[in-house]
Coordinates of all heavy atoms in Angstrom, one line a residue:
Chain A
S9 N 114.4 109.9 90.3 CA 114.7 108.6 90.8 C 114.6 108.5 92.3 O 114.3 107.5 92.9 CB 116.0 108.1 90.3 OG 117.1 109.0 90.7
R10 N 115.0 109.7 92.9 CA 114.8 109.7 94.4 C 114.6 111.2 94.7 O 115.0 112.1 94.1 CB 116.0 109.2 95.1 CG 117.3 110.0 94.8 CD 118.5 109.4 95.5 NE 118.8 108.0 95.0 CZ 119.8 107.3 95.5 NH1 120.5 107.7 96.6 NH2 120.1 106.1 95.0
Y36 N 102.1 102.1 91.6 CA 102.2 101.1 92.7 C 103.1 101.7 93.8 O 103.9 102.6 93.6 CB 102.9 99.8 92.2 CG 102.2 99.0 91.2 CD1 102.5 99.3 89.8 CD2 101.3 98.0 91.5 CE1 101.8 98.5 88.9 CE2 100.7 97.3 90.5 CZ 100.9 97.5 89.2 OH 100.3 96.8 88.3
Q38 N 105.6 100.2 96.8 CA 106.3 99.0 97.2 C 106.9 99.2 98.6 O 107.7 100.1 98.8 CB 107.4 98.6 96.2 CG 108.0 97.2 96.5 CD 109.2 97.0 95.8 OE1 110.0 97.8 95.5 NE2 109.4 95.7 95.4
K41 N 110.7 94.1 100.3 CA 110.4 92.7 100.2 C 109.0 92.3 100.2 O 108.6 91.3 100.8 CB 111.2 91.9 101.2 CG 112.7 92.1 101.1 CD 113.5 91.3 102.1 CE 115.0 91.6 102.1 NZ 115.7 90.8 103.1
Q42 N 108.1 93.2 99.7 CA 106.7 92.9 99.7 C 106.2 93.1 98.3 O 106.8 93.6 97.4 CB 106.0 93.8 100.7 CG 106.3 93.5 102.1 CD 105.4 94.3 103.1 OE1 104.3 94.6 102.8 NE2 105.9 94.6 104.3
S43 N 104.9 92.6 98.1 CA 104.3 92.8 96.8 C 104.0 94.2 96.5 O 104.0 95.1 97.4 CB 103.0 92.0 96.8 OG 103.2 90.6 97.2
L44 N 103.9 94.5 95.2 CA 103.6 95.8 94.8 C 102.1 96.1 95.2 O 101.2 95.3 94.8 CB 103.8 96.0 93.3 CG 105.2 96.4 92.9 CD1 106.2 95.4 93.2 CD2 105.2 96.7 91.4
Q107 N 102.5 94.6 80.9 CA 102.9 95.9 81.6 C 104.4 96.0 81.6 O 105.1 95.1 81.9 CB 102.3 95.8 83.0 CG 100.9 96.0 83.2 CD 100.5 96.0 84.7 OE1 101.2 96.6 85.5 NE2 99.3 95.4 85.0
F109 N 107.4 98.0 83.4 CA 107.6 98.7 84.7 C 108.7 99.7 84.7 O 109.7 99.6 84.0 CB 107.9 97.7 85.8 CG 106.7 96.8 86.2 CD1 106.3 95.7 85.5 CD2 105.8 97.2 87.2 CE1 105.2 95.0 85.8 CE2 104.7 96.5 87.5 CZ 104.4 95.3 86.8
G110 N 108.5 100.8 85.4 CA 109.5 101.8 85.6 C 110.5 101.5 86.7 O 110.2 100.5 87.4
P111 N 111.6 102.2 86.8 CA 112.6 101.9 87.7 C 112.3 102.3 89.2 O 113.0 101.9 90.1 CB 113.8 102.7 87.2 CG 113.2 103.8 86.5 CD 112.0 103.3 85.9
G112 N 111.2 103.0 89.3 CA 110.9 103.4 90.7 C 111.4 104.8 91.1 O 112.4 105.3 90.6
Chain B
Y35 N 108.8 88.2 91.0 CA 107.4 88.5 91.2 C 106.5 87.6 90.4 O 106.9 87.2 89.2 CB 107.0 89.9 90.9 CG 107.6 91.0 91.8 CD1 108.9 91.5 91.5 CD2 107.0 91.4 93.0 CE1 109.4 92.5 92.3 CE2 107.6 92.4 93.8 CZ 108.8 92.9 93.4 OH 109.4 93.8 94.2
Q37 N 102.7 87.6 88.5 CA 101.7 88.5 88.2 C 100.6 87.8 87.4 O 100.8 87.4 86.2 CB 102.2 89.7 87.4 CG 101.1 90.8 87.2 CD 101.6 92.0 86.5 OE1 102.5 92.0 85.7 NE2 100.9 93.2 86.7
A42 N 98.1 93.0 90.5 CA 99.4 93.6 90.8 C 100.4 92.5 91.0 O 100.0 91.4 91.4 CB 99.3 94.4 92.1
P43 N 101.7 92.7 90.8 CA 102.7 91.7 91.0 C 102.8 91.3 92.5 O 102.7 92.2 93.4 CB 104.0 92.4 90.6 CG 103.5 93.4 89.6 CD 102.2 93.9 90.1
T44 N 102.9 90.0 92.7 CA 103.0 89.5 94.1 C 104.5 89.1 94.3 O 105.1 88.4 93.5 CB 102.1 88.2 94.2 OG1 100.8 88.6 93.9 CG2 102.2 87.7 95.6
F45 N 105.0 89.5 95.4 CA 106.4 89.2 95.7 C 106.6 87.7 96.0 O 105.8 87.1 96.7 CB 106.8 90.0 97.0 CG 108.1 89.6 97.6 CD1 109.3 90.2 97.0 CD2 108.2 88.8 98.7 CE1 110.5 89.8 97.6 CE2 109.4 88.5 99.2 CZ 110.6 89.0 98.7
Y48 N 113.5 87.3 97.2 CA 114.6 88.3 97.1 C 115.9 87.6 97.4 O 116.0 87.0 98.4 CB 114.3 89.4 98.1 CG 115.4 90.4 98.2 CD1 115.7 91.3 97.2 CD2 116.2 90.4 99.4 CE1 116.7 92.2 97.4 CE2 117.2 91.3 99.5 CZ 117.5 92.3 98.5 OH 118.5 93.2 98.7
L87 N 108.1 87.8 86.8 CA 108.9 89.0 86.5 C 110.2 88.9 87.3 O 110.2 88.7 88.5 CB 108.2 90.3 86.9 CG 106.9 90.5 86.1 CD1 106.1 91.6 86.8 CD2 107.2 91.0 84.7
M91 N 117.8 95.2 91.5 CA 118.0 96.6 92.0 C 119.5 96.9 91.8 O 120.4 96.2 92.3 CB 117.6 96.6 93.5 CG 117.7 98.0 94.1 SD 116.7 98.1 95.6 CE 115.0 98.3 95.0
N94 N 122.1 102.3 92.3 CA 121.3 103.4 92.7 C 120.0 103.1 93.3 O 119.1 103.9 93.4 CB 121.1 104.3 91.4 CG 122.3 105.0 90.9 OD1 123.2 105.4 91.7 ND2 122.5 105.0 89.6
Y95 N 119.8 101.8 93.6 CA 118.6 101.3 94.2 C 117.4 101.5 93.2 O 116.3 101.8 93.7 CB 118.3 101.9 95.6 CG 119.4 101.5 96.5 CD1 120.5 102.2 96.8 CD2 119.3 100.2 97.2 CE1 121.5 101.8 97.6 CE2 120.3 99.8 98.1 CZ 121.4 100.6 98.3 OH 122.4 100.1 99.1
Q96 N 117.6 101.5 92.0 CA 116.6 101.5 91.0 C 116.3 100.1 90.5 O 117.2 99.3 90.4 CB 117.0 102.4 89.8 CG 117.3 103.8 90.1 CD 116.0 104.6 89.9 OE1 115.7 105.1 88.9 NE2 115.3 104.8 91.0
L97 N 115.0 99.8 90.2 CA 114.7 98.5 89.7 C 114.8 98.4 88.2 O 114.2 99.2 87.5 CB 113.3 98.1 90.2 CG 113.1 97.7 91.6 CD1 111.6 97.5 91.9 CD2 113.8 96.4 91.9
W99 N 113.8 96.0 85.3 CA 112.8 94.9 85.1 C 113.0 94.0 83.9 O 113.4 94.6 82.8 CB 111.4 95.5 85.0 CG 110.9 96.1 86.3 CD1 111.1 97.4 86.6 CD2 110.1 95.6 87.3 NE1 110.5 97.7 87.8 CE2 109.9 96.6 88.3 CE3 109.6 94.3 87.5 CZ2 109.2 96.3 89.4 CZ3 108.8 94.1 88.7 CH2 108.6 95.1 89.6

Side-chain angles (χ1 to χ4, degrees):
Chain A
S9 58
R10 62 180 69 183
Y36 297 91
Q38 186 196 34
K41 299 183 187 179
Q42 294 188 26
S43 304
L44 274 63
Q107 287 184 36
F109 289 86
Chain B
Y35 293 90
Q37 187 178 28
T44 303
F45 171 80
Y48 171 72
L87 301 163
M91 187 160 278
N94 291 318
Y95 295 94
Q96 295 269 276
L97 281 173
W99 294 85

